[in-house]
Amino acid sequence: MSQSLRQRVEAATLPAAGLVTLLLLTLLFYYPVGRVLSEAVWRAGAPTADPLLAVLADPFFFGVLAQAAEDPAVLWTAIEPHSLRLTVPLTDLGVALTYPFPNYRLGLFGFTAYQALLSTLASVALGLPGAYVLARFEFPGRRTVRSLTAVPFVMPSIMVAIGFIATFGRTGVVNTVLTSLGLGRIELLYTLPIIVIAHAFYNAPLVMRVTAAAWESVDAGTAETARSLGASPRRAFVDVVLPQLMPAILTGALLTFVFSFMSFAVVLALGGLSLATVEVWVYQRVTQLDYETASALATLEMAFSLVLTYAYLRYEARQRAGSPARPPERKPLFGPLDGDRLAVWAYVGVALVVFVTPMASMVLASVTGPDGFTLAYYRFLVERQTTGAAFQIKPLTAIRNSLLYGAGSLALAVPMGVLLAVVSTREFPGSKLLDTLSMAPFAVSGVVVGLGLLQGLVFGTTAFGYRFTVTGAVAVVAAHAVAAYPFVTRNVAPLLATIDRSVVESARVLGASRIRVLLDIELPQVVAGVLAGAAFAFAISVGEFDSTVILASGSAAYTMPVAIERFLGRRLGPATAMGCVLLVVTAVSFLVIDRLGEGRGM
C-alpha cells in the first residue's frame, strides 16, 4: 500500500468508525425505543394520542388523578384531612395496605412513585452514615470498602432478590433465628417494606459514594472558623458543612428515585403482581400480548424518567466544585468507645444485616435442607442438565449463553464506548448534544429496550422490500451491549480528558493521522479505564435480567438470571443454587479481567 493511500485510509478510519457507531446506536437503541413510542402514538398509518389518553384516563393507572380529570371534586373528597394515620385501599392493584399517606387510590403510576420515594428515603438514611464513616474515619480496608460501593451497579438484581428471599422468607435465616429464640415469625415477602429494603441495598452505596466524595472535599477551615466564633459542633455542621453536602445528597437521592422507579427484577421477585410497578405491569402486558398498552405505559414511564435524568444532569453541572483548601482529618475508627464510635459500630451492625446477610443467606440456603447440610439442590441442577426435556431450563445452557452473550456484548460495547468517550472529550458544535444522546440508555429501562427489540428486530422489520429479522440471541446481545457501553464511556472519558493535549497536537503536526494518535498515544494511556469498563460491561451482561426475560421468552436464549427466575417459581433451593453459580461466574469473570489489567494501571 502506498504512503498516500495509507494516509487516506487512516484519515477516513476514525470518521468511518464514528459513523458505524452511530448506525449501531440507532439500530440497537433508538430504533427499538422509537418502535415502542410509535406503538403508543401511531395507528393505522396516522398519528394518534388515543393509547396514551386511554392510560391517562384510567383510574387503574393514575388513580384519583384520572378521576379528577373528569370531576375535580373527587380529588378533594377522596382525602380524609382529619385522620393522623390514613389508609390507602389499593384494591385496584389487588392488595390492601395501610401506610401513612392520604386516603385515595394512587393507581399504578402513583404507587410506583410512592415506593420509589420510600426507597429513596431509606437509601439516604442508610447511605449517609456510611458516607460519614468513609469520610471521617481511618481504618484498615477503607479504600476497599469505598471501592465496594460500586458493586451494586454490576450485581445481578435477580440474585439480590433471591438473597432477600433466603434472608427474610418464611423459612429464611431471620425467621429461623426468631423461631429458635421462641419468637414469632415476621412476614415480609410480598410486602412493600421488603421492596424498600432491597432497593436500599442497591442504592444506599450510591448515596454513600457521592456523599463521601463531597464530605472529603469540605474545607475543614470553614467549620473551624464557625467553631471559633462560638458555634456548637451541631450548629457548625448544620450551618457550614451540611449546605456543602446537600448537592451530593440531592444528586444521590434523585438517581436513587429514578433507579427505584424503573426497578423491575426486585419488584417482580419480591412483590409480584400484587405490588406491581409500571415496569412489572409492562412485562405482564407483554406476556399477555397486549403490546399497545405495554407501549403506552413504557412511553409515559420513559418520558418521566428522561425528565428526571435531564434534571439530574442540569443540577450536577451547576454544582461542580473545585478542590478544597484543606480536607478534614480522619480519626482512627478503633479507639476509646465514645459516643461517636458507638454510633458508628451500631451502624456497622445494621449495614452487615442489610448488605452482607442476603448474599450469605443465599449461599447458606443453597446447601441447607430440612435435615441440615445437603448438596441436593446442586445435584438437581446436574440432573436437570442431563435428563431435562428440551422445553425445560438447563443450567449449563444458561451458563454457556451468559458467557457467549457477555463476550458478544464486549465486542460491541468496548469499541462503541471508547469512540463515544473520544467524542465526549472533544469540543465541537453539537458535542454536548451528542454526548447526552449517547448516554440515553441510562435513562431508559431494560424492559423498554427489550420490548422495542422484540417488536422491531425479533418480530421483523420490512425495509427495501425485504423483511429483516434476528434471533432472540442476537437481540439479547444487542440489549446487553446497549446497557453496557455507557460504563465503558464513563470509565475511559475521564482518563482521556487528563492527557496532555500538546502531545496530541505535536503528533498531529508531525503528520500522524487522528486514528494513529488515538492508537499510539491516547489508548496506551487509558488502558486501565478500558479494562475497567470492560469488566463492568461483562458483569452487566452476565447479570442483565430486565430485557433478557422479554427477549428470551419461549426460546433457548435464556441466561443464568432468567434461569434463576424460572427456578424460583418451582422452589427456593434450586434458585439459590443457580444464584451461587451466577455469583461465582460473575466474580471469576471480574477477577480474570482484573488480572489482565495488572501492570497497566488497574
Side-chain angles (χ1 to χ4, degrees):
M1 182 182 295
S2 66
Q3 182 72 15
S4 60
L5 179 59
R6 187 178 69 179
Q7 290 176 345
R8 286 198 296 270
V9 170
E10 289 182 352
T13 298
L14 194 59
L19 180 61
V20 170
T21 299
L22 181 61
L23 290 175
L24 282 175
L25 191 57
T26 300
L27 178 64
L28 304 183
F29 178 72
Y30 283 104
Y31 172 67
V33 172
R35 280 294 299 262
V36 174
L37 177 63
S38 68
E39 288 285 336
V41 299
W42 198 267
R43 181 185 296 172
T48 178
D50 289 346
L52 295 178
L53 293 176
V55 169
L56 290 170
D58 192 337
F60 175 80
F61 297 119
F62 281 92
V64 70
L65 293 179
Q67 295 173 304
E70 297 182 0
D71 182 7
V74 172
L75 186 61
W76 304 105
T77 59
I79 302 176
E80 299 174 5
H82 303 296
S83 175
L84 294 178
R85 184 173 181 81
L86 305 175
T87 62
V88 177
L90 296 178
T91 53
D92 283 344
L93 295 178
V95 63
L97 299 172
T98 300
Y99 286 99
F101 56 89
N103 182 23
Y104 56 80
R105 288 186 175 86
L106 295 175
L108 187 69
F109 274 84
F111 176 75
T112 303
Y114 177 69
Q115 64 83 26
L117 176 61
L118 291 184
S119 299
T120 300
L121 295 175
S123 299
V124 171
L126 189 61
L128 289 185
Y132 175 71
V133 173
L134 288 176
R136 300 303 306 274
F137 288 91
E138 189 63 58
F139 54 91
R142 189 185 70 84
R143 291 186 178 180
T144 301
V145 172
R146 185 187 180 98
S147 299
L148 289 176
T149 58
V151 169
F153 279 104
V154 296
M155 186 171 290
S157 54
I158 191 67
M159 186 176 73
V160 173
I162 293 297
F164 272 84
I165 293 174
T167 303
F168 298 104
R170 184 170 180 79
T171 59
V173 171
V174 171
N175 278 323
T176 299
V177 172
L178 290 177
T179 53
S180 66
L181 296 175
L183 303 175
R185 299 177 185 270
I186 58 173
E187 300 292 343
L188 282 179
L189 289 186
Y190 302 105
T191 67
L192 186 56
I194 192 68
I195 294 175
V196 171
I197 295 172
H199 284 163
F201 172 95
Y202 257 106
N203 297 307
L206 170 64
V207 176
M208 189 187 308
R209 189 180 185 89
V210 297
T211 307
W215 218 319
E216 290 170 344
S217 68
V218 171
D219 192 339
T222 57
E224 292 172 0
T225 300
R227 292 295 308 278
S228 66
L229 294 175
S232 65
R234 178 180 177 276
R235 176 57 57 188
F237 174 79
V238 172
D239 292 346
V240 177
V241 178
L242 186 59
Q244 299 181 65
L245 299 180
M246 283 307 297
I249 295 173
L250 293 176
T251 296
L254 183 56
L255 285 175
T256 296
F257 186 89
V258 173
F259 294 154
S260 299
F261 190 89
M262 296 192 300
S263 177
F264 174 61
V266 167
V267 179
L268 181 66
L270 300 180
L273 291 180
S274 62
L275 289 171
T277 58
V278 176
E279 287 279 278
V280 173
W281 202 254
V282 169
Y283 172 67
Q284 194 272 345
R285 290 292 83 201
V286 171
T287 60
Q288 299 299 314
L289 305 182
D290 182 6
Y291 297 114
E292 182 178 286
T293 302
S295 296
L297 291 173
T299 299
L300 292 172
E301 181 200 35
M302 184 167 52
F304 182 70
S305 64
L306 285 172
V307 168
L308 289 179
T309 303
Y310 177 76
Y312 155 71
L313 293 173
R314 289 291 302 272
Y315 182 79
E316 183 189 45
R318 289 198 302 267
Q319 298 298 329
R320 289 173 183 166
S323 299
R326 181 165 61 88
E329 294 183 2
R330 301 187 187 94
K331 64 180 182 179
L333 179 60
F334 301 98
L337 198 62
D338 54 15
D340 205 16
R341 289 190 177 92
L342 184 63
V344 168
W345 285 113
Y347 169 75
V348 169
V350 174
L352 287 175
V353 172
V354 176
F355 295 125
V356 178
T357 304
M359 294 298 97
S361 298
M362 182 184 70
V363 176
L364 181 63
S366 72
V367 293
T368 306
D371 300 322
F373 178 80
T374 180
L375 294 177
Y377 305 133
Y378 291 95
R379 285 197 297 270
F380 168 84
L381 298 183
V382 175
E383 293 170 358
R384 170 58 66 87
Q385 180 63 40
T386 56
T387 63
F391 63 87
Q392 292 180 311
I393 295 288
K394 296 186 177 182
L396 187 59
T397 303
I399 295 172
R400 181 199 65 197
N401 287 347
S402 292
L403 295 177
L404 289 176
Y405 299 161
S409 299
L410 280 183
L412 287 175
V414 171
M416 289 175 63
V418 170
L419 282 170
L420 290 169
V422 172
V423 171
S424 69
T425 55
R426 301 293 184 271
E427 290 293 338
F428 58 88
S431 61
K432 296 300 182 184
L433 176 61
L434 185 59
D435 184 34
T436 302
L437 291 176
S438 68
M439 290 297 105
F442 270 138
V444 179
S445 72
V447 172
V448 173
V449 175
L451 176 59
L453 287 169
L454 181 70
Q455 294 176 313
L457 297 183
V458 177
F459 290 168
T461 297
T462 301
F464 309 108
Y466 182 78
R467 187 165 185 81
F468 296 92
T469 60
V470 302
T471 64
V474 173
V476 169
V477 171
H480 289 188
V482 164
Y485 83 79
F487 288 87
V488 179
T489 300
R490 287 313 180 205
N491 274 280
V492 175
L495 297 180
L496 282 175
T498 63
I499 294 177
D500 188 352
R501 302 310 305 167
S502 64
V503 176
V504 175
E505 292 168 1
S506 297
R508 293 285 284 158
V509 169
L510 293 174
S513 64
R514 187 65 192 84
I515 187 65
R516 182 56 54 191
V517 171
L518 176 63
L519 295 176
D520 293 346
I521 296 178
E522 294 176 301
L523 284 185
Q525 299 185 60
V526 299
V527 169
V530 174
L531 289 172
F536 273 97
F538 191 85
I540 287 170
S541 174
V542 170
E544 209 284 333
F545 177 78
D546 296 9
S547 61
T548 311
V549 73
I550 291 178
L551 296 170
S553 180
S555 72
Y558 52 84
T559 59
M560 286 186 284
V562 175
I564 291 173
E565 194 266 339
R566 297 291 188 265
F567 288 148
L568 181 61
R570 190 176 187 274
R571 61 179 185 271
L572 182 61
T576 58
M578 195 69 206
C580 289
V581 173
L582 176 57
L583 180 64
V584 170
V585 171
T586 304
V588 169
S589 302
F590 226 101
L591 183 62
V592 168
I593 297 178
D594 180 65
R595 289 291 181 265
L596 291 175
E598 284 187 352
R600 295 180 174 89
M602 284 191 75

